[in-house]
Amino acid sequence: MTHHQSTHDQHEINKQQSAWVIETRHLYKRFGQVVALEDINLQIKRGEFVAIMGASGSGKTTLMNILTCLDTVSEGQVLLDGTDAAALDEEGRRAFRSDKIGLVFQQFHLIPFLTALENVMLAQHYHSVVDEAAARKVLKQVGLDHRVDHLPSQLSGGEQQRVCIARALVNEPPVIFADEPTGNLDEQNERLVLGLLEDLHKQGRTIVMVTHNPELGRFADRIVRLQHGKYLGEEVNHHEAEHVN
Ligand SMILES: Nc1ncnc2c1ncn2[C@@H]1O[C@H](COP(=O)(O)OP(=O)(O)O)[C@@H](O)[C@H]1O
Ligand SMILES: [Mg+2]
């Protein structure tokens, strides 16, 4: 009994420890006099689709940069799958980014003189595994198999963003971060890109999407709201329609 109980407890502890993929504890970020983030305590579960919402200037991008190890905290802790981000050196942060996360930006950040295929393969290069067939496969996944040899300037905004998603996906990261991923897109491409993010979520990936657009929040499991750098509250979406047979 006792043994069984303690095994059970240990199991619960393991489950609890492994349940959180990303966590912040009393996180503060200051830029000189500007307090961009103030006492943020956030837990993002494995497989969750979280929208981080708030007006422009509320600290969304700052938070995203910290969660993806592109920036460091002024105070507090960031735990990435149990590892304290502060304990990572530059190489550790780089390894975390290339192994664990895919990034999708509002400004697509594609290399202008490389084709769609080459842009995706560049991400593989940084991950140290270059595989043209795999790069073609993800481009096909985002509906761009007929555009692999096009330069970014020869692609529409929606197509460029889909190249970015392919680039974010090619190393099969467990977590995708998207900062205003549809900010530069028309409505049709916005729906397309959201559809792709939803598919990725259904495949079991963790999605963290930053947006100031209330329309987009409903795609997430949970909406975390920021205001003036502070946690304002959160709400859970139940996606009732999906459970109707
Ligand atoms: N590098 C920086 N230097 C100084 N202030 C910054 C810097 N980055 C962001 N800020 C400030 O921090 C606040 C939050 O910015 P940001 O995270 O970009 O907001 P959001 O993405 O929600 O629009 C803003 O007041 C912004 O001006
Ligand atoms: Mg921003």
Side-chain angles (χ1 to χ4, degrees):
M1 270 289 278
T2 322
H3 174 70
H4 174 259
Q5 187 60 41
S6 68
T7 310
H8 176 78
D9 289 347
Q10 189 56 47
H11 179 67
E12 282 303 307
I13 289 164
N14 289 343
K15 229 170 64 184
Q16 271 178 12
Q17 282 177 346
S18 65
W20 302 114
V21 58
I22 291 163
E23 182 172 357
T24 70
R25 293 181 185 165
H26 303 295
L27 184 163
Y28 287 75
K29 180 64 178 181
R30 301 183 192 89
F31 295 107
Q33 302 284 48
V34 178
V35 184
L37 292 171
E38 189 175 336
D39 196 21
I40 303 297
N41 296 282
L42 190 65
Q43 289 175 321
I44 297 170
K45 278 192 205 112
R46 199 178 299 277
E48 213 181 359
F49 186 166
V50 176
I52 297 174
M53 299 192 59
S56 180
S58 58
K60 305 181 300 293
T61 294
T62 303
L63 179 60
M64 159 112 163
N65 288 343
I66 288 172
L67 297 181
T68 57
C69 281
L70 290 167
D71 203 353
T72 54
V73 302
S74 301
E75 213 181 295
Q77 264 187 316
V78 181
L79 299 171
L80 306 165
D81 232 358
T83 302
D84 191 335
L88 298 172
D89 58 10
E90 198 168 322
E91 173 55 26
R93 289 196 292 272
R94 197 201 59 78
F96 167 76
R97 273 200 302 277
S98 72
D99 296 346
K100 294 286 169 66
I101 67 181
L103 288 169
V104 180
F105 305 96
Q106 176 178 5
Q107 272 81 26
F108 314 126
H109 298 306
L110 293 169
I111 309 289
F113 50 84
L114 298 180
T115 65
L117 180 65
E118 289 163 346
N119 265 284
V120 173
M121 290 178 72
L122 184 64
Q124 292 179 319
H125 170 74
Y126 285 120
H127 189 68
S128 331
V129 189
V130 178
D131 176 348
E132 183 175 330
R136 285 181 184 276
K137 196 174 146 211
V138 285
L139 281 164
K140 185 173 174 149
Q141 223 179 309
V142 299
L144 286 179
D145 37 336
H146 59 312
R147 292 284 184 270
V148 289
D149 294 325
H150 286 229
L151 295 170
S153 62
Q154 299 167 330
L155 297 168
S156 72
E159 288 170 337
Q160 288 181 57
Q161 189 57 300
R162 280 185 277 153
V163 175
C164 295
I165 292 178
R167 179 183 58 185
L169 280 180
V170 72
N171 300 321
E172 307 201 323
V175 190
I176 306 274
F177 280 90
D179 191 356
E180 310 266 9
T182 65
N184 283 326
L185 303 182
D186 59 32
E187 220 171 289
Q188 190 190 342
N189 278 300
E190 175 175 282
R191 251 178 278 126
L192 230 156
V193 164
L194 279 169
L196 284 169
L197 290 175
E198 270 191 303
D199 289 346
L200 293 170
H201 175 229
K202 282 181 189 142
Q203 290 161 19
R205 283 171 217 271
T206 309
I207 313 277
V208 183
M209 178 178 71
V210 163
T211 181
H212 67 274
N213 183 349
E215 296 271 307
L216 304 190
R218 67 185 180 86
F219 287 89
D221 296 327
R222 184 157 62 107
I223 301 173
V224 173
R225 294 187 192 283
L226 298 181
Q227 191 179 50
H228 306 310
K230 289 184 204 154
Y231 172 88
L232 185 65
E234 62 182 60
E235 64 211 62
V236 173
N237 284 332
H238 291 291
H239 300 299
E240 278 155 50
E242 281 176 17
H243 298 294
V244 176
N245 286 315

PDB file of all heavy atoms in Angstrom, residues 50-82:
ATOM      1  N   VAL A  50      -1.965  28.741 -26.978  1.00  0.00           N
ATOM      2  CA  VAL A  50      -2.192  29.921 -26.150  1.00  0.00           C
ATOM      3  C   VAL A  50      -2.073  31.178 -26.998  1.00  0.00           C
ATOM      4  O   VAL A  50      -1.122  31.322 -27.773  1.00  0.00           O
ATOM      5  CB  VAL A  50      -1.161  29.998 -24.996  1.00  0.00           C
ATOM      6  CG1 VAL A  50      -1.333  31.272 -24.184  1.00  0.00           C
ATOM      7  CG2 VAL A  50      -1.295  28.786 -24.084  1.00  0.00           C
ATOM      8  N   ALA A  51      -3.046  32.062 -26.855  1.00  0.00           N
ATOM      9  CA  ALA A  51      -2.940  33.376 -27.492  1.00  0.00           C
ATOM     10  C   ALA A  51      -2.556  34.382 -26.422  1.00  0.00           C
ATOM     11  O   ALA A  51      -3.145  34.406 -25.345  1.00  0.00           O
ATOM     12  CB  ALA A  51      -4.268  33.770 -28.125  1.00  0.00           C
ATOM     13  N   ILE A  52      -1.537  35.174 -26.705  1.00  0.00           N
ATOM     14  CA  ILE A  52      -1.164  36.267 -25.816  1.00  0.00           C
ATOM     15  C   ILE A  52      -1.660  37.537 -26.467  1.00  0.00           C
ATOM     16  O   ILE A  52      -1.259  37.874 -27.586  1.00  0.00           O
ATOM     17  CB  ILE A  52       0.354  36.297 -25.570  1.00  0.00           C
ATOM     18  CG1 ILE A  52       0.760  34.999 -24.858  1.00  0.00           C
ATOM     19  CG2 ILE A  52       0.756  37.528 -24.758  1.00  0.00           C
ATOM     20  CD1 ILE A  52       2.233  34.804 -24.680  1.00  0.00           C
ATOM     21  N   MET A  53      -2.609  38.190 -25.775  1.00  0.00           N
ATOM     22  CA  MET A  53      -3.269  39.333 -26.386  1.00  0.00           C
ATOM     23  C   MET A  53      -3.102  40.589 -25.555  1.00  0.00           C
ATOM     24  O   MET A  53      -2.909  40.533 -24.346  1.00  0.00           O
ATOM     25  CB  MET A  53      -4.760  39.034 -26.563  1.00  0.00           C
ATOM     26  CG  MET A  53      -4.998  37.833 -27.463  1.00  0.00           C
ATOM     27  SD  MET A  53      -6.711  37.674 -27.952  1.00  0.00           S
ATOM     28  CE  MET A  53      -6.940  39.239 -28.754  1.00  0.00           C
ATOM     29  N   GLY A  54      -3.190  41.711 -26.228  1.00  0.00           N
ATOM     30  CA  GLY A  54      -3.095  42.995 -25.552  1.00  0.00           C
ATOM     31  C   GLY A  54      -2.882  44.073 -26.598  1.00  0.00           C
ATOM     32  O   GLY A  54      -2.453  43.780 -27.719  1.00  0.00           O
ATOM     33  N   ALA A  55      -3.145  45.306 -26.222  1.00  0.00           N
ATOM     34  CA  ALA A  55      -2.985  46.428 -27.139  1.00  0.00           C
ATOM     35  C   ALA A  55      -1.511  46.568 -27.526  1.00  0.00           C
ATOM     36  O   ALA A  55      -0.630  46.003 -26.869  1.00  0.00           O
ATOM     37  CB  ALA A  55      -3.483  47.710 -26.474  1.00  0.00           C
ATOM     38  N   SER A  56      -1.284  47.342 -28.548  1.00  0.00           N
ATOM     39  CA  SER A  56       0.087  47.646 -28.964  1.00  0.00           C
ATOM     40  C   SER A  56       0.819  48.303 -27.793  1.00  0.00           C
ATOM     41  O   SER A  56       0.266  49.163 -27.118  1.00  0.00           O
ATOM     42  CB  SER A  56       0.019  48.584 -30.172  1.00  0.00           C
ATOM     43  OG  SER A  56       1.315  48.884 -30.599  1.00  0.00           O
ATOM     44  N   GLY A  57       2.037  47.836 -27.525  1.00  0.00           N
ATOM     45  CA  GLY A  57       2.817  48.400 -26.425  1.00  0.00           C
ATOM     46  C   GLY A  57       2.585  47.712 -25.088  1.00  0.00           C
ATOM     47  O   GLY A  57       3.182  48.081 -24.084  1.00  0.00           O
ATOM     48  N   SER A  58       1.744  46.660 -25.063  1.00  0.00           N
ATOM     49  CA  SER A  58       1.426  46.004 -23.785  1.00  0.00           C
ATOM     50  C   SER A  58       2.509  45.021 -23.341  1.00  0.00           C
ATOM     51  O   SER A  58       2.437  44.482 -22.239  1.00  0.00           O
ATOM     52  CB  SER A  58       0.061  45.310 -23.863  1.00  0.00           C
ATOM     53  OG  SER A  58       0.037  44.372 -24.909  1.00  0.00           O
ATOM     54  N   GLY A  59       3.489  44.741 -24.213  1.00  0.00           N
ATOM     55  CA  GLY A  59       4.610  43.889 -23.805  1.00  0.00           C
ATOM     56  C   GLY A  59       4.628  42.518 -24.459  1.00  0.00           C
ATOM     57  O   GLY A  59       5.441  41.663 -24.102  1.00  0.00           O
ATOM     58  N   LYS A  60       3.782  42.307 -25.458  1.00  0.00           N
ATOM     59  CA  LYS A  60       3.647  40.987 -26.078  1.00  0.00           C
ATOM     60  C   LYS A  60       4.950  40.530 -26.736  1.00  0.00           C
ATOM     61  O   LYS A  60       5.413  39.408 -26.509  1.00  0.00           O
ATOM     62  CB  LYS A  60       2.516  40.991 -27.129  1.00  0.00           C
ATOM     63  CG  LYS A  60       1.179  41.466 -26.601  1.00  0.00           C
ATOM     64  CD  LYS A  60       0.091  41.421 -27.660  1.00  0.00           C
ATOM     65  CE  LYS A  60       0.346  42.284 -28.893  1.00  0.00           C
ATOM     66  NZ  LYS A  60       0.338  43.732 -28.614  1.00  0.00           N
ATOM     67  N   THR A  61       5.524  41.402 -27.548  1.00  0.00           N
ATOM     68  CA  THR A  61       6.753  41.020 -28.259  1.00  0.00           C
ATOM     69  C   THR A  61       7.915  40.837 -27.287  1.00  0.00           C
ATOM     70  O   THR A  61       8.718  39.912 -27.424  1.00  0.00           O
ATOM     71  CB  THR A  61       7.089  42.058 -29.347  1.00  0.00           C
ATOM     72  OG1 THR A  61       6.059  42.015 -30.336  1.00  0.00           O
ATOM     73  CG2 THR A  61       8.430  41.776 -30.015  1.00  0.00           C
ATOM     74  N   THR A  62       7.961  41.700 -26.281  1.00  0.00           N
ATOM     75  CA  THR A  62       9.007  41.571 -25.257  1.00  0.00           C
ATOM     76  C   THR A  62       8.909  40.202 -24.586  1.00  0.00           C
ATOM     77  O   THR A  62       9.926  39.511 -24.413  1.00  0.00           O
ATOM     78  CB  THR A  62       8.855  42.696 -24.208  1.00  0.00           C
ATOM     79  OG1 THR A  62       8.899  43.950 -24.882  1.00  0.00           O
ATOM     80  CG2 THR A  62       9.949  42.634 -23.174  1.00  0.00           C
ATOM     81  N   LEU A  63       7.697  39.789 -24.254  1.00  0.00           N
ATOM     82  CA  LEU A  63       7.496  38.495 -23.606  1.00  0.00           C
ATOM     83  C   LEU A  63       7.914  37.363 -24.544  1.00  0.00           C
ATOM     84  O   LEU A  63       8.628  36.439 -24.161  1.00  0.00           O
ATOM     85  CB  LEU A  63       6.021  38.341 -23.201  1.00  0.00           C
ATOM     86  CG  LEU A  63       5.655  37.020 -22.528  1.00  0.00           C
ATOM     87  CD1 LEU A  63       6.452  36.805 -21.241  1.00  0.00           C
ATOM     88  CD2 LEU A  63       4.153  36.956 -22.225  1.00  0.00           C
ATOM     89  N   MET A  64       7.481  37.477 -25.777  1.00  0.00           N
ATOM     90  CA  MET A  64       7.828  36.464 -26.778  1.00  0.00           C
ATOM     91  C   MET A  64       9.348  36.349 -26.946  1.00  0.00           C
ATOM     92  O   MET A  64       9.898  35.247 -26.993  1.00  0.00           O
ATOM     93  CB  MET A  64       7.163  36.909 -28.080  1.00  0.00           C
ATOM     94  CG  MET A  64       7.752  36.339 -29.288  1.00  0.00           C
ATOM     95  SD  MET A  64       6.571  35.242 -30.008  1.00  0.00           S
ATOM     96  CE  MET A  64       7.300  35.136 -31.620  1.00  0.00           C
ATOM     97  N   ASN A  65      10.034  37.483 -27.008  1.00  0.00           N
ATOM     98  CA  ASN A  65      11.498  37.467 -27.160  1.00  0.00           C
ATOM     99  C   ASN A  65      12.169  36.785 -25.971  1.00  0.00           C
ATOM    100  O   ASN A  65      13.178  36.090 -26.138  1.00  0.00           O
ATOM    101  CB  ASN A  65      12.043  38.891 -27.320  1.00  0.00           C
ATOM    102  CG  ASN A  65      11.698  39.478 -28.671  1.00  0.00           C
ATOM    103  OD1 ASN A  65      11.329  38.748 -29.593  1.00  0.00           O
ATOM    104  ND2 ASN A  65      11.793  40.788 -28.796  1.00  0.00           N
ATOM    105  N   ILE A  66      11.599  36.970 -24.798  1.00  0.00           N
ATOM    106  CA  ILE A  66      12.173  36.340 -23.606  1.00  0.00           C
ATOM    107  C   ILE A  66      11.890  34.836 -23.613  1.00  0.00           C
ATOM    108  O   ILE A  66      12.772  34.031 -23.347  1.00  0.00           O
ATOM    109  CB  ILE A  66      11.627  37.026 -22.332  1.00  0.00           C
ATOM    110  CG1 ILE A  66      12.256  38.423 -22.211  1.00  0.00           C
ATOM    111  CG2 ILE A  66      11.918  36.187 -21.097  1.00  0.00           C
ATOM    112  CD1 ILE A  66      11.683  39.283 -21.125  1.00  0.00           C
ATOM    113  N   LEU A  67      10.661  34.470 -23.979  1.00  0.00           N
ATOM    114  CA  LEU A  67      10.305  33.043 -23.973  1.00  0.00           C
ATOM    115  C   LEU A  67      11.083  32.259 -25.023  1.00  0.00           C
ATOM    116  O   LEU A  67      11.255  31.054 -24.902  1.00  0.00           O
ATOM    117  CB  LEU A  67       8.792  32.859 -24.212  1.00  0.00           C
ATOM    118  CG  LEU A  67       7.868  33.445 -23.147  1.00  0.00           C
ATOM    119  CD1 LEU A  67       6.414  33.160 -23.496  1.00  0.00           C
ATOM    120  CD2 LEU A  67       8.204  32.910 -21.758  1.00  0.00           C
ATOM    121  N   THR A  68      11.553  32.945 -26.050  1.00  0.00           N
ATOM    122  CA  THR A  68      12.301  32.267 -27.108  1.00  0.00           C
ATOM    123  C   THR A  68      13.812  32.491 -26.976  1.00  0.00           C
ATOM    124  O   THR A  68      14.567  32.194 -27.901  1.00  0.00           O
ATOM    125  CB  THR A  68      11.848  32.748 -28.508  1.00  0.00           C
ATOM    126  OG1 THR A  68      12.001  34.167 -28.579  1.00  0.00           O
ATOM    127  CG2 THR A  68      10.392  32.388 -28.757  1.00  0.00           C
ATOM    128  N   CYS A  69      14.227  33.013 -25.819  1.00  0.00           N
ATOM    129  CA  CYS A  69      15.660  33.204 -25.548  1.00  0.00           C
ATOM    130  C   CYS A  69      16.326  34.198 -26.485  1.00  0.00           C
ATOM    131  O   CYS A  69      17.542  34.168 -26.655  1.00  0.00           O
ATOM    132  CB  CYS A  69      16.425  31.886 -25.652  1.00  0.00           C
ATOM    133  SG  CYS A  69      16.257  30.868 -24.223  1.00  0.00           S
ATOM    134  N   LEU A  70      15.544  35.064 -27.104  1.00  0.00           N
ATOM    135  CA  LEU A  70      16.146  36.118 -27.914  1.00  0.00           C
ATOM    136  C   LEU A  70      16.507  37.303 -27.024  1.00  0.00           C
ATOM    137  O   LEU A  70      17.261  38.183 -27.415  1.00  0.00           O
ATOM    138  CB  LEU A  70      15.191  36.572 -29.027  1.00  0.00           C
ATOM    139  CG  LEU A  70      14.975  35.549 -30.144  1.00  0.00           C
ATOM    140  CD1 LEU A  70      13.787  35.948 -31.021  1.00  0.00           C
ATOM    141  CD2 LEU A  70      16.223  35.401 -31.001  1.00  0.00           C
ATOM    142  N   ASP A  71      15.932  37.332 -25.821  1.00  0.00           N
ATOM    143  CA  ASP A  71      16.224  38.401 -24.872  1.00  0.00           C
ATOM    144  C   ASP A  71      16.219  37.795 -23.464  1.00  0.00           C
ATOM    145  O   ASP A  71      15.709  36.684 -23.268  1.00  0.00           O
ATOM    146  CB  ASP A  71      15.172  39.519 -25.004  1.00  0.00           C
ATOM    147  CG  ASP A  71      15.698  40.856 -24.501  1.00  0.00           C
ATOM    148  OD1 ASP A  71      16.817  40.904 -23.937  1.00  0.00           O
ATOM    149  OD2 ASP A  71      14.983  41.861 -24.675  1.00  0.00           O
ATOM    150  N   THR A  72      16.795  38.510 -22.529  1.00  0.00           N
ATOM    151  CA  THR A  72      16.886  37.997 -21.158  1.00  0.00           C
ATOM    152  C   THR A  72      16.011  38.841 -20.224  1.00  0.00           C
ATOM    153  O   THR A  72      15.610  39.954 -20.574  1.00  0.00           O
ATOM    154  CB  THR A  72      18.342  38.064 -20.662  1.00  0.00           C
ATOM    155  OG1 THR A  72      18.811  39.408 -20.822  1.00  0.00           O
ATOM    156  CG2 THR A  72      19.236  37.134 -21.456  1.00  0.00           C
ATOM    157  N   VAL A  73      15.731  38.320 -19.043  1.00  0.00           N
ATOM    158  CA  VAL A  73      14.868  39.014 -18.085  1.00  0.00           C
ATOM    159  C   VAL A  73      15.680  40.027 -17.268  1.00  0.00           C
ATOM    160  O   VAL A  73      16.898  39.916 -17.183  1.00  0.00           O
ATOM    161  CB  VAL A  73      14.191  38.011 -17.115  1.00  0.00           C
ATOM    162  CG1 VAL A  73      13.389  36.982 -17.883  1.00  0.00           C
ATOM    163  CG2 VAL A  73      15.224  37.332 -16.221  1.00  0.00           C
ATOM    164  N   SER A  74      14.980  41.004 -16.685  1.00  0.00           N
ATOM    165  CA  SER A  74      15.635  41.916 -15.736  1.00  0.00           C
ATOM    166  C   SER A  74      15.595  41.293 -14.348  1.00  0.00           C
ATOM    167  O   SER A  74      16.503  41.490 -13.538  1.00  0.00           O
ATOM    168  CB  SER A  74      14.916  43.268 -15.705  1.00  0.00           C
ATOM    169  OG  SER A  74      14.912  43.848 -16.978  1.00  0.00           O
ATOM    170  N   GLU A  75      14.534  40.539 -14.097  1.00  0.00           N
ATOM    171  CA  GLU A  75      14.315  39.932 -12.783  1.00  0.00           C
ATOM    172  C   GLU A  75      13.350  38.774 -12.971  1.00  0.00           C
ATOM    173  O   GLU A  75      12.539  38.795 -13.888  1.00  0.00           O
ATOM    174  CB  GLU A  75      13.637  40.994 -11.896  1.00  0.00           C
ATOM    175  CG  GLU A  75      13.972  40.960 -10.435  1.00  0.00           C
ATOM    176  CD  GLU A  75      13.205  42.056  -9.707  1.00  0.00           C
ATOM    177  OE1 GLU A  75      13.470  43.244  -9.973  1.00  0.00           O
ATOM    178  OE2 GLU A  75      12.331  41.718  -8.901  1.00  0.00           O
ATOM    179  N   GLY A  76      13.433  37.786 -12.081  1.00  0.00           N
ATOM    180  CA  GLY A  76      12.517  36.647 -12.174  1.00  0.00           C
ATOM    181  C   GLY A  76      13.119  35.517 -12.984  1.00  0.00           C
ATOM    182  O   GLY A  76      14.298  35.554 -13.344  1.00  0.00           O
ATOM    183  N   GLN A  77      12.286  34.511 -13.255  1.00  0.00           N
ATOM    184  CA  GLN A  77      12.775  33.281 -13.875  1.00  0.00           C
ATOM    185  C   GLN A  77      11.970  32.888 -15.099  1.00  0.00           C
ATOM    186  O   GLN A  77      10.758  33.102 -15.156  1.00  0.00           O
ATOM    187  CB  GLN A  77      12.621  32.134 -12.874  1.00  0.00           C
ATOM    188  CG  GLN A  77      13.860  31.828 -12.071  1.00  0.00           C
ATOM    189  CD  GLN A  77      13.634  30.583 -11.253  1.00  0.00           C
ATOM    190  OE1 GLN A  77      12.585  30.404 -10.644  1.00  0.00           O
ATOM    191  NE2 GLN A  77      14.625  29.708 -11.243  1.00  0.00           N
ATOM    192  N   VAL A  78      12.643  32.272 -16.046  1.00  0.00           N
ATOM    193  CA  VAL A  78      11.973  31.629 -17.175  1.00  0.00           C
ATOM    194  C   VAL A  78      12.425  30.178 -17.189  1.00  0.00           C
ATOM    195  O   VAL A  78      13.621  29.907 -17.269  1.00  0.00           O
ATOM    196  CB  VAL A  78      12.359  32.277 -18.522  1.00  0.00           C
ATOM    197  CG1 VAL A  78      11.611  31.600 -19.665  1.00  0.00           C
ATOM    198  CG2 VAL A  78      12.067  33.763 -18.514  1.00  0.00           C
ATOM    199  N   LEU A  79      11.480  29.266 -17.085  1.00  0.00           N
ATOM    200  CA  LEU A  79      11.807  27.843 -17.122  1.00  0.00           C
ATOM    201  C   LEU A  79      11.358  27.266 -18.453  1.00  0.00           C
ATOM    202  O   LEU A  79      10.178  27.357 -18.817  1.00  0.00           O
ATOM    203  CB  LEU A  79      11.120  27.109 -15.967  1.00  0.00           C
ATOM    204  CG  LEU A  79      11.530  27.595 -14.575  1.00  0.00           C
ATOM    205  CD1 LEU A  79      10.649  26.982 -13.508  1.00  0.00           C
ATOM    206  CD2 LEU A  79      12.993  27.286 -14.306  1.00  0.00           C
ATOM    207  N   LEU A  80      12.299  26.716 -19.170  1.00  0.00           N
ATOM    208  CA  LEU A  80      12.012  26.140 -20.473  1.00  0.00           C
ATOM    209  C   LEU A  80      12.116  24.632 -20.325  1.00  0.00           C
ATOM    210  O   LEU A  80      13.219  24.104 -20.214  1.00  0.00           O
ATOM    211  CB  LEU A  80      13.018  26.657 -21.503  1.00  0.00           C
ATOM    212  CG  LEU A  80      13.107  28.182 -21.570  1.00  0.00           C
ATOM    213  CD1 LEU A  80      14.351  28.617 -22.323  1.00  0.00           C
ATOM    214  CD2 LEU A  80      11.859  28.774 -22.183  1.00  0.00           C
ATOM    215  N   ASP A  81      10.960  23.995 -20.245  1.00  0.00           N
ATOM    216  CA  ASP A  81      10.935  22.556 -20.028  1.00  0.00           C
ATOM    217  C   ASP A  81      11.785  22.171 -18.817  1.00  0.00           C
ATOM    218  O   ASP A  81      12.577  21.228 -18.868  1.00  0.00           O
ATOM    219  CB  ASP A  81      11.452  21.852 -21.293  1.00  0.00           C
ATOM    220  CG  ASP A  81      10.464  20.799 -21.753  1.00  0.00           C
ATOM    221  OD1 ASP A  81       9.440  20.613 -21.074  1.00  0.00           O
ATOM    222  OD2 ASP A  81      10.728  20.169 -22.779  1.00  0.00           O
ATOM    223  N   GLY A  82      11.666  22.958 -17.758  1.00  0.00           N
ATOM    224  CA  GLY A  82      12.366  22.657 -16.515  1.00  0.00           C
ATOM    225  C   GLY A  82      13.753  23.276 -16.393  1.00  0.00           C
ATOM    226  O   GLY A  82      14.312  23.302 -15.308  1.00  0.00           O
TER     227      GLY A  82
END
